[in-house]
Amino acid sequence: MLADYFTSLYRRTMAEAYSAASREIVSTLKQLGGPCLDCGADSGGWFYRLADEVALERSQYFGIEWNADAVAIAQQNQLNIQQGNLNNGLPFASDSFNCIFALSVLEHLLNGCQFLQEAKRALKPGGKLVILTPNISTYFTAALILAGRMPSSGPHPDSDLFNKTQEIFKVSPEELVWDTETDTPVHRHLVVFSFLALQKYLKLLGFSNVTGYGFGLYPLPNFLQPIAEKIDPYHCHQMVFVAQK
């Protein structure tokens, strides 16, 4: 079935994108050490992963999360995660972190450009920013627009019913449901960058060694994806950027 085919593409894409982002975070911490800042930290799952892989100490891990329930769980586990809105700046001094990462976060922000500016400010010289976010400039998006539909990657209007009518296939996990009408939606995409636009903006901010990777060049089959992603990262479904201050 066509839905199963696109589900397999999506799952492989997300797995590869997160693996690439993880490698960059781990590599940075192995090279520079902490402290690090997890933006969109949820209840702190990344701390435990990094503690295993790079022996990261609790005192070297910081996080910001706007879901109060997730923050409460993190703080019960003695993690340095505070509740906050990433649209409003980072509550840290300049030159504070060797690594800042935001995975599947940028697309949920209204003030994404301000967030990137703040990330650069809060990084120590030589520190790295790791971003994972969807790419609006895809062939699949172009096909949807030509068919009279809205991009599946967003932006998403503030109606669960409307968003459901725009879904051609549900490729995300079954437990993920639309929550755009809640007070703190976590699945609504507000601003979605293109590969080239995000690359250019990071350079305009003064980041050096800006490197971008693309994952998921739809509708090519999975066995062709590794080659296609290297040839044309600009139109892949997900993108990972690493930028050094």
Side-chain angles (χ1 to χ4, degrees):
M1 293 177 58
L2 201 56
D4 293 335
Y5 177 77
F6 276 97
T7 297
S8 71
L9 293 183
Y10 175 81
R11 289 177 177 172
R12 183 257 170 203
T13 295
M14 299 308 295
E16 292 295 324
Y18 271 90
S19 291
S22 177
R23 287 193 297 272
E24 294 292 345
I25 295 167
V26 168
S27 174
T28 299
L29 292 177
K30 283 183 176 179
Q31 177 186 4
L32 302 176
C36 67
L37 175 62
D38 182 354
C39 298
D42 195 57
S43 58
W46 271 97
F47 165 73
Y48 301 103
R49 183 169 182 172
L50 294 173
D52 287 339
E53 297 199 35
V54 297
L56 185 70
E57 298 179 1
R58 288 176 185 269
S59 62
Q60 296 293 291
Y61 173 83
F62 297 81
I64 297 180
E65 170 59 44
W66 79 336
N67 183 288
D69 293 336
V71 172
I73 293 171
Q75 292 181 351
Q76 287 172 7
N77 293 322
Q78 288 78 52
L79 293 180
N80 297 317
I81 295 178
Q82 61 179 284
Q83 187 174 17
N85 187 337
L86 293 171
N87 289 297
N88 298 333
L90 297 178
F92 299 100
S94 300
D95 305 333
S96 293
F97 301 100
N98 281 326
C99 183
I100 296 177
F101 56 95
L103 310 186
S104 295
V105 169
L106 187 61
E107 66 274 18
H108 300 285
L109 302 182
L110 187 60
N111 301 330
C113 289
Q114 176 181 288
F115 167 73
L116 295 173
Q117 294 173 33
E118 279 287 281
K120 182 173 182 290
R121 179 190 63 78
L123 278 171
K124 294 182 180 182
K128 291 184 179 179
L129 171 67
V130 181
I131 295 287
L132 188 159
T133 189
N135 177 14
I136 199 171
S137 182
T138 70
Y139 299 125
F140 188 67
T141 295
L144 288 174
I145 292 174
L146 288 173
R149 292 180 175 271
M150 297 183 71
S152 60
S153 59
H156 297 136
D158 57 337
S159 166
D160 292 348
L161 178 61
F162 182 90
N163 290 321
K164 288 177 182 176
T165 64
Q166 291 295 304
E167 281 187 325
I168 297 179
F169 309 116
K170 181 173 174 56
V171 295
S172 55
E174 288 303 317
E175 61 270 19
L176 191 154
V177 295
W178 283 110
D179 62 352
T180 54
E181 297 177 20
T182 63
D183 291 335
T184 56
V186 296
H187 303 309
R188 184 184 181 192
H189 293 182
L190 299 177
V191 179
V192 186
F193 289 81
S194 71
F195 187 102
L196 290 174
L198 183 54
Q199 182 183 61
K200 183 175 182 179
Y201 186 65
L202 290 169
K203 291 179 179 179
L204 285 173
L205 289 179
F207 281 104
S208 62
N209 300 323
V210 176
T211 304
Y213 307 92
F215 300 92
L217 193 65
Y218 300 169
L220 295 177
N222 280 331
F223 74 90
L224 289 178
Q225 292 289 343
I227 298 173
E229 290 162 351
K230 288 182 174 58
I231 295 173
D232 184 9
Y234 314 108
H235 299 96
C236 288
H237 178 65
Q238 295 285 324
M239 49 189 180
V240 172
F241 272 94
V242 184
Q244 186 172 32
K245 180 173 177 178

